[in-house]
Amino acid sequence: DQQVKQNSPSLSVQEGRISILNCDYTNSMFDYFLWYKKYPAEGPTFLISISSIKDKNEDGRFTVFLNKSAKHLSLHIVPSQPGDSAVYFCAASANDMRFGAGTRLTVKP
Amino acid sequence: DAGVIQSPRHEVTEMGQEVTLRCKPISGHDYLFWYRQTMMRGLELLIYFNNNVPIDDSGMPEDRFSAKMPNASFSTLKIQPSEPRDSAVYFCASSPGGNTEAFFGQGTRLTVV
């Protein structure tokens, strides 16, 4: 049972534009949400997180939005840079940590 | 700290053989997670431990899979007997608390032929 879903396997954007990655979850017990970035042949690395008591968290070019009523979160990257090209995983936690299938982001120069 | 350390980085084995993957978490971290990365399901949680105790192993695909954490600095994931469909990248991660950032190892790429 996939409790965390990333329905877009890939996304391509132009350098300088905004990248929006989406994630949906089904378990209302999740109270902490994270985004990870993964390069080939490496483990995922933490990018940004948000607690369920907030609806927005910003860190430089990265902003995560949480809509609890819709059980939806998104990651905005602006402006997008070629170095942002990677696979992005959404994760949700209620002590355990469940991941989505990932979205491959390609930022074109 | 050197981070989460997994060994081996690559493992090629024949079908039917036993495979053991190893993980050393970051010192002081109370949670340890084992994941399997597949194209279809992304990072699939297999099992996680809190203070060396298995909390949820519902993600372990079959009885052929087992995991142990004999002490706070070591965990193993064993597959016996291995099958070609077990071929994947297996990640170990640790975190200092339940709802905090988890730190990943570099993974073990397993190929069962």
Side-chain angles (χ1 to χ4, degrees):
Chain A
D1 179 25
Q2 198 79 357
Q3 299 184 43
V4 180
K5 298 180 182 179
Q6 294 176 256
N7 293 320
S8 298
S10 63
L11 175 67
S12 181
V13 300
Q14 206 67 35
E15 180 178 7
R17 297 292 189 101
I18 185 171
S19 296
I20 300 177
L21 296 97
N22 293 302
C23 178
D24 297 292
Y25 61 95
T26 57
N27 189 343
S28 58
M29 297 299 292
F30 289 139
D31 55 5
Y32 191 68
F33 305 89
L34 311 93
W35 285 94
Y36 280 77
K37 182 178 181 180
K38 185 182 181 305
Y39 293 117
E42 295 182 8
T45 55
F46 170 75
L47 191 57
I48 192 169
S49 63
I50 188 168
S51 166
S52 61
I53 62 174
K54 294 185 175 181
D55 55 16
K56 177 182 175 181
N57 187 27
E58 190 173 354
D59 183 3
R61 296 185 298 113
F62 302 91
T63 303
V64 56
F65 295 91
L66 175 63
N67 182 336
K68 282 186 293 182
S69 61
K71 294 190 177 66
H72 177 83
L73 68 155
S74 61
L75 174 69
H76 292 209
I77 306 173
V78 55
S80 303
Q81 299 173 355
D84 297 329
S85 298
V87 176
Y88 289 78
F89 287 98
C90 166
S93 178
N95 288 329
D96 59 353
M97 193 170 295
R98 310 277 173 172
F99 284 78
T103 296
R104 182 177 299 278
L105 174 65
T106 303
V107 181
K108 298 180 179 179
Chain B
D1 201 313
V4 176
I5 299 174
Q6 291 187 246
S7 64
R9 288 293 310 276
H10 302 274
E11 175 80 36
V12 180
T13 190
E14 291 186 345
M15 181 174 63
Q17 296 297 307
E18 177 180 296
V19 175
T20 299
L21 311 181
R22 296 173 174 81
C23 176
K24 182 181 187 308
I26 293 173
S27 176
H29 281 193
D30 292 334
Y31 283 78
L32 184 140
F33 306 86
W34 281 101
Y35 292 93
R36 178 171 66 176
Q37 184 183 8
T38 62
M39 290 295 291
M40 290 300 295
R41 298 179 68 85
L43 284 166
E44 185 182 9
L45 177 63
L46 301 178
I47 185 172
Y48 78 97
F49 296 82
N50 180 19
N51 293 319
N52 313 339
V53 176
I55 303 300
D56 184 353
D57 65 353
S58 59
M60 298 286 259
E62 298 173 32
D63 292 344
R64 300 183 295 108
F65 286 69
S66 63
K68 293 182 179 179
M69 193 165 185
N71 56 63
S73 59
F74 184 65
S75 177
T76 59
L77 177 68
K78 186 176 293 187
I79 308 172
Q80 165 64 17
S82 57
E83 296 183 2
R85 60 193 168 120
D86 301 330
S87 298
V89 180
Y90 291 80
F91 287 102
C92 174
S94 70
S95 72
N99 280 353
T100 57
E101 171 192 352
F103 296 80
F104 280 78
Q106 290 193 296
T108 295
R109 179 173 293 278
L110 173 65
T111 303
V112 183
V113 297

